């Protein structure tokens, strides 16, 4: 851990003034050279530096916080003890300059009289959120005084957003009736959120530079209970790589999937190989893949007299067994990352009842040279997950369905993961190429090695003497990082989190600089094509590309960033999604990360990626568990759940106007009852929002 002096020094250079201390905190001038963590072993001292460079240490009055009565009661009800939980809640920012989005007021149209809402007709419920101005945003029964058209952007006077409870409930019912995996469905199909996309943050800051968002002070926690115990974080761990990616790559970063060809193009026929160079794009859906291949077709290539090669060399040795974690290999959350990941490595099986004891099945995406049953018998039963409703089994050349489909499923879509991400990509590419009306004389091949053209022993003459280095023809950009981390945190998309984590190693500027130094010098030829000057150089398409990476390299990049920017010891990670039992993070880790992120230019993209308590994302059901919670619409949260883990971390806007970072991690040796454990953290959010 770096010294307290370093913390003060950094804070001084980032700040031009500081805030006074808050309740339950006292100032202690401390000589830095004499400070010892043993001074108050269970407290979390923090530092504030004045303009003159003098540092003060803020220490909670109690060395070990007494948990609020409501949280303690919830723990007892869940048969948990204070030893099972770590909590830290810290004020961040200033009341007059909140950087959190506008709070959301969820109203019940059957109870609130409003001329815009016909409570007698659910079909007349507005599906559009409204920006409102009100004199008291925390009063849930107050009729707003002014409505602002959301399509015209955020009004600087708006203080909250109004969303009707029936809209949230209706969308949730429709999703759960339509698919067994609503998070994968929304992520794959980029389903629009019920929240406005341009709500911004409540300080209405369009552009903020580093000076104006510098940390004003490092404040003592409102509540700190066992913050330094290393615990399994589950999916709250996604907060780490998603922010580090924003901070290092930028909110507008895109992955570029490039296509090259060898040989010659004569007419619309390629006499050579077509190469797709995977970029690690987390969201190459089957529709986007089709657009990529269509771009190749637009260049003029319709027929390939050679092979179509998928180069996924950007990621090395990262494939995993989808059954390894919890023996649920069909679930999309267990999909393996890959350098050229297609459709999250998963297929949608869409059922359409025919009314004659059978249902028709359609598949997205379809696979080349693979048998997929078109019909399935039905049976009287309740609709469930694919593993029970269909009992699918991937075989060498066909998909077997070993159960009759429950007739209650109706029109429904199931998502199942294919066991091999590379084979899946090859079959989807082959099918899409064919569906576009194109032909291929060779095969679709996938490999984790860079393409190298085979050279004959004899000297080449005539057309064969033309350069064999692959020539670029298409560069296809991904969705932006901002769009992708929305899926990662809002829908807890594991495989996308893995792709982003690995990309940190591949696109790290330091690593790229090292690679570029090792690359051969290039020169511009008369036809403007760059070619290596050295005959020993590798293929042209490697030049200027990302560095091939692996988990150790990517995780080291995270560790290096942490030690450069933060004070707490780095967390221990083995992947980027939190789907691991050996990964450990402290509540202090996440608290410090969230506080740091709050003051950075990319904060809006970060906080908008989180679910809103009682409104959206994986924290949607907060309002069902705690209907009167003050945190509904005022907490932006990432959740995490494993058999013995329940966790929440994010931001809460207190009713006083103060913003807070909030982290709660519950770990037990035995399996948790999540229905009992989650309310403990719900009450933590509610307690925070009341401040």
């Amino acid at each position: 851990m770096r010294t307290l002096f370093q913390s003060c020094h950094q804070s001084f250079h980032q700040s031009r003034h500081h805030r006074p201390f808050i309740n339950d905190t006292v100032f202690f001038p401390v000589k830095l050279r004499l400070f010892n963590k043993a001074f108050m072993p269970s407290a979390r001292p923090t530092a504030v530096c004045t303009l003159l460079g003098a540092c003060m240490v803020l220490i909670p009055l109690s060395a070990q916080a007494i948990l609020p009565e409501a949280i303690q009661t919830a723990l007892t009800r869940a048969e948990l003890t204070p030893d099972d939980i770590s909590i830290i809640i810290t004020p961040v920012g200033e009341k007059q300059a909140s950087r959190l989005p506008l709070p959301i007021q969820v109203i019940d149209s059957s109870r609130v009289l409003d001329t815009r809402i016909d409570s007698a007709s659910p079909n007349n419920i507005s599906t559009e959120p409204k920006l409102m101005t009100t004199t008291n945003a925390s009063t849930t029964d107050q009729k707003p005084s002014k409505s602002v058209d959301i399509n015209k952007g955020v009004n600087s006077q708006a203080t909250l957003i109004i969303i009707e409870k029936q809209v949230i409930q209706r969308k949730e019912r429709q999703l759960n009736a339509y698919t067994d995996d609503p998070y994968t469905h929304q992520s794959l199909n980029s389903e629009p959120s019920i929240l406005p996309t341009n709500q911004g943050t409540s300080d209405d800051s369009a552009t903020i530079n580093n000076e104006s968002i510098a940390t004003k002070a490092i404040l003592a926690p409102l509540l700190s209970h066992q913050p330094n115990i290393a615990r399994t974080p589950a999916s709250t761990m996604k907060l780490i790589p998603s922010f580090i990616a924003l901070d290092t790559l930028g909110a507008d970063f895109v992955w570029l999937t490039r296509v090259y060809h060898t040989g010659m193009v004569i007419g619309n026929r390629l006499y050579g190989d077509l190469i797709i160079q995977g970029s690690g794009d987390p969201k190459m859906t089957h529709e986007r893949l089709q657009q990529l291949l269509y771009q190749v077709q637009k260049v003029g290539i319709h027929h390939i007299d050679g092979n179509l090669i998928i180069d996924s060399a950007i990621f090395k040795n990262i494939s995993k067994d989808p059954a390894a974690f919890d023996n649920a290999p069909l679930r999309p959350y267990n999909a393996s990352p890959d350098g050229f990941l297609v459709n999250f490595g998963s297929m949608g099986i869409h059922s359409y009842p025919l009314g004659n004891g059978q249902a028709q099945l359609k598949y997205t995406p379809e696979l080349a040279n693979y048998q997929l049953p078109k019909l399935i018998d039905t049976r009287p039963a309740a609709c469930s997950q694919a593993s029970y409703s269909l009992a699918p089994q991937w075989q060498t050349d066909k998909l077997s369905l070993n159960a009759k489909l429950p007739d209650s499923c109706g029109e429904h879509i199931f998502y199942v993961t294919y066991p091999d991400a590379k084979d899946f990509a090859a079959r989807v590419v082959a099918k899409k190429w064919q569906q576009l009306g194109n032909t291929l004389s060779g095969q679709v091949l996938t490999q984790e090695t860079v393409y190298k053209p085979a050279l004959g022993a004899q000297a080449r003459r005539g057309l064969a003497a033309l350069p064999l280095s692959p020539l670029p023809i298409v560069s296809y950009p991904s969705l932006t990082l901002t769009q992708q981390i929305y899926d990662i945190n809002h829908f807890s998309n594991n495989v996308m989190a893995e792709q982003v984590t690995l990309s940190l190693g591949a696109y790290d500027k330091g690593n790229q600089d090292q690679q570029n130094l090792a690359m051969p010098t290039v020169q511009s030829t008369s036809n403007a094509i760059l070619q290596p000057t050295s005959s020993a150089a590798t293929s042209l398409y490697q030049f200027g590309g990302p560095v091939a990476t692996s988990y150790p390299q990517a995780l080291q990049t995270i560790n290096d960033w942490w030690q450069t920017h933060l004070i707490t010891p780095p967390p221990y990670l083995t992947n980027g999604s939190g789907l691991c039992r050996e990964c450990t993070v402290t509540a202090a880790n996440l608290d410090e990360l969230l506080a740091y992120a709050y003051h950075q230019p990319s904060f809006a993209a970060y906080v908008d990626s989180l679910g809103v308590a009682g409104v959206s994302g994986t924290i949607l059901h907060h309002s069902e568990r705690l209907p009167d919670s003050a945190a509904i619409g005022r907490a932006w949260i990432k959740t995490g759940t494993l058999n013995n883990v329940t966790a929440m971390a994010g931001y809460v806007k207190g009713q006083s106007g103060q913003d807070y970072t909030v982290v709660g991690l519950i770990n037990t040796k035995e399996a948790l009852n999540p229905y009992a454990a989650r309310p403990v953290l719900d009450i933590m959010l509610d307690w925070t929002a009341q401040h």
Side-chain angles (χ1 to χ4, degrees):
M1 179 182 295
R2 292 177 296 170
T3 65
L4 183 59
F5 174 78
Q6 289 175 298
S7 173
C8 291
H9 180 75
Q10 181 183 34
S11 180
F12 170 70
H13 283 285
Q14 289 179 341
S15 174
R16 286 184 289 184
H17 62 280
H18 70 280
R19 288 193 58 189
F21 62 90
I22 60 171
N23 292 339
D24 299 328
T25 304
V26 290
F27 279 116
F28 286 95
V30 177
K31 293 183 179 179
L32 298 180
R33 62 186 177 86
L34 298 178
F35 182 79
N36 190 309
K37 287 177 63 179
F39 179 73
M40 292 194 70
S42 59
R44 181 178 180 238
T46 52
V48 174
C49 300
T50 69
L51 286 173
L52 298 177
C55 293
M56 297 289 188
V57 175
L58 299 179
I59 301 176
L61 285 176
S62 58
Q64 179 60 63
I66 299 175
L67 290 173
E69 182 179 355
I71 296 177
Q72 181 62 64
T73 300
L75 282 170
T76 303
R77 190 181 301 119
E79 299 182 350
L80 297 169
T81 71
D83 290 340
D84 297 322
I85 190 169
S86 291
I87 295 178
I88 185 165
I89 301 167
T90 307
V92 63
E94 300 182 7
K95 291 182 182 180
Q96 296 78 16
S98 170
R99 300 205 68 213
L100 291 179
L102 295 176
I104 296 167
Q105 182 175 323
V106 179
I107 60 173
D108 187 342
S109 61
S110 65
R111 297 171 58 187
V112 179
L113 298 177
D114 194 307
T115 57
R116 299 183 313 280
I117 302 173
D118 180 2
S119 60
S121 175
N123 292 329
N124 288 339
I125 296 173
S126 169
T127 59
E128 294 295 326
K130 300 175 180 64
L131 284 168
M132 300 292 176
T133 59
T134 178
T135 57
N136 185 0
S138 64
T139 305
T140 57
D141 292 331
Q142 180 176 346
K143 181 178 176 179
S145 60
K146 183 179 179 182
S147 173
V148 182
D149 186 354
I150 190 67
N151 296 318
K152 294 182 180 179
V154 176
N155 186 298
S156 60
Q157 296 180 345
T159 58
L160 57 81
I161 297 170
I162 300 293
I163 294 182
E164 289 145 12
K165 182 178 180 181
Q166 285 77 0
V167 174
I168 300 171
Q169 292 176 332
R170 185 167 59 193
K171 180 176 181 179
E172 183 72 3
R173 286 194 302 267
Q174 290 172 342
L175 275 171
N176 284 287
Y178 186 64
T179 176
D180 68 322
D181 193 339
Y183 294 139
T184 297
H185 177 77
Q186 291 176 91
S187 189
L188 271 173
N189 294 280
S190 298
E191 292 284 334
S193 170
I194 62 173
L195 296 174
T197 57
N198 60 343
Q199 64 167 312
T201 55
S202 57
D203 65 3
D204 199 28
S205 302
T207 57
I208 305 175
N209 57 42
N210 285 326
E211 251 187 58
S212 62
I213 61 174
T215 304
K216 305 305 181 187
I218 304 172
L219 301 173
L222 177 69
L223 174 64
S224 181
H225 175 77
Q226 302 188 129
N228 297 315
I229 293 180
R231 297 188 186 273
T232 304
S235 282
T236 58
M237 199 173 82
K238 293 182 175 69
L239 292 167
I240 297 173
S242 59
F243 177 73
I244 294 176
L246 284 171
D247 196 54
T248 58
L249 303 179
D252 296 326
F253 174 83
V254 295
W255 289 256
L256 293 174
T257 300
R258 295 183 171 94
V259 182
Y260 303 79
H261 75 78
T262 62
M264 295 187 61
V265 179
I266 301 177
N268 61 6
R269 186 175 296 273
L270 168 62
Y271 294 91
D273 296 332
L274 190 77
I275 305 158
I276 299 176
Q277 184 186 32
S279 62
D281 182 355
K283 197 170 181 178
M284 179 64 76
T285 63
H286 72 96
E287 295 98 336
R288 292 182 60 79
L289 173 60
Q290 183 165 315
Q291 286 297 315
L292 170 66
L293 296 176
Y294 178 65
Q295 295 298 321
V296 175
Q297 191 179 61
K298 283 179 63 178
V299 170
I301 298 175
H302 294 259
H303 310 285
I304 301 173
D305 282 351
N307 294 321
L308 199 163
I309 298 169
I310 299 172
D311 167 15
S312 59
I314 186 172
F315 296 161
K316 293 285 189 182
N317 303 318
I318 50 86
S319 296
K320 69 176 186 180
D321 176 5
F325 183 74
D326 59 1
N327 199 31
L330 298 176
R331 301 300 299 275
Y333 66 74
N334 275 321
S336 175
D338 192 73
F340 187 68
L341 181 71
V342 173
N343 218 62
F344 306 155
S346 300
M347 171 185 284
I349 304 176
H350 205 150
S351 66
Y352 299 88
L354 299 176
N356 59 354
Q358 287 187 313
Q360 182 181 5
L361 299 177
K362 293 185 178 179
Y363 302 87
T364 52
E366 297 183 21
L367 305 179
N369 305 314
Y370 201 84
Q371 299 177 42
L372 301 169
K374 302 299 183 185
L375 296 172
I376 188 172
D377 293 333
T378 60
R379 59 188 169 94
C383 194
S384 185
Q385 296 174 0
S387 56
Y388 301 105
S389 295
L390 298 173
Q393 182 181 5
W394 298 105
Q395 299 183 3
T396 304
D397 60 351
K398 67 178 182 179
L399 173 65
S400 296
L401 303 178
N402 301 304
K404 294 182 179 180
L405 178 71
D407 53 13
S408 62
C409 288
E411 183 180 341
H412 198 85
I413 188 165
F414 301 90
Y415 291 96
V416 292
T417 297
Y418 192 83
D420 185 333
K422 285 181 168 51
D423 187 59
F424 183 76
R427 292 183 186 276
V428 176
V429 166
K431 189 67 175 181
K432 293 288 186 184
W433 184 250
Q434 179 186 13
Q435 288 174 335
L436 286 171
N438 304 319
T439 62
L440 172 68
S441 65
Q443 298 176 294
V444 178
L445 305 175
T446 61
Q447 56 193 43
E448 278 193 3
T449 56
V450 174
Y451 176 87
K452 293 182 180 179
L455 298 174
Q458 299 179 351
R460 295 176 178 270
R461 297 181 180 179
L463 294 178
L466 290 174
L468 290 174
S469 290
L471 302 178
I473 54 173
V474 169
S475 183
Y476 186 69
S478 71
L479 300 175
T480 66
L481 177 60
T482 294
Q483 293 170 300
Q484 305 230 29
I485 69 159
Y486 178 88
D487 286 14
I488 290 170
N489 289 330
H490 221 75
F491 305 128
S492 205
N493 192 308
N494 286 332
V495 74
M496 289 183 72
E498 301 289 10
Q499 297 283 120
V500 168
T501 299
L502 288 161
S503 293
L504 288 171
Y507 294 94
D508 177 70
K509 188 177 185 302
N511 291 335
Q512 284 192 307
D513 289 343
Q514 292 177 10
Q515 184 205 44
N516 290 338
L517 287 173
M519 290 301 296
T521 305
V522 296
Q523 60 185 8
S524 178
T525 62
S526 59
N527 59 359
I529 295 176
L530 294 175
Q531 298 186 33
T533 58
S534 168
S535 59
T538 52
S539 300
L540 172 67
Y541 81 103
Q542 290 178 265
F543 180 77
V547 178
T549 191
S550 61
Y551 272 117
Q553 183 173 334
L555 297 175
Q556 184 60 47
T557 301
I558 291 176
N559 192 77
D560 291 344
W561 181 94
W562 196 281
Q563 291 183 316
T564 301
H565 295 85
L566 303 179
I567 304 298
T568 57
Y572 176 74
L573 311 182
T574 60
N575 64 37
S577 69
L579 202 65
C580 50
R581 303 193 191 282
E582 65 276 18
C583 301
T584 56
V585 173
T586 67
N589 282 151
L590 292 178
D591 173 69
E592 187 183 23
L593 175 74
L594 291 165
Y596 178 86
Y598 183 92
H599 298 289
Q600 302 310 308
S602 56
F603 177 67
Y606 190 51
V607 71
D608 286 345
S609 74
L610 305 179
V612 184
V615 178
S616 66
T618 60
I619 192 66
L620 169 66
H621 299 289
H622 171 82
S623 58
E624 297 175 15
R625 298 188 295 265
L626 202 62
D628 297 324
S629 172
I632 295 173
R634 304 182 71 89
W636 292 262
I637 299 297
K638 180 73 199 77
T639 63
T641 306
L642 292 175
N643 285 341
N644 62 331
V645 179
T646 297
M648 293 182 188
Y651 303 92
V652 174
K653 184 184 291 292
Q655 290 179 336
S656 67
Q658 178 65 57
D659 294 344
Y660 297 92
T661 60
V662 56
V663 181
L665 304 174
I666 297 175
N667 281 193
T668 59
K669 294 180 180 179
E670 299 80 22
L672 276 170
N673 177 357
Y675 298 101
R678 287 184 192 128
V680 177
L681 300 180
D682 289 327
I683 289 172
M684 174 189 71
L685 300 182
D686 175 46
W687 183 84
T688 307
Q690 292 179 41
H691 283 74

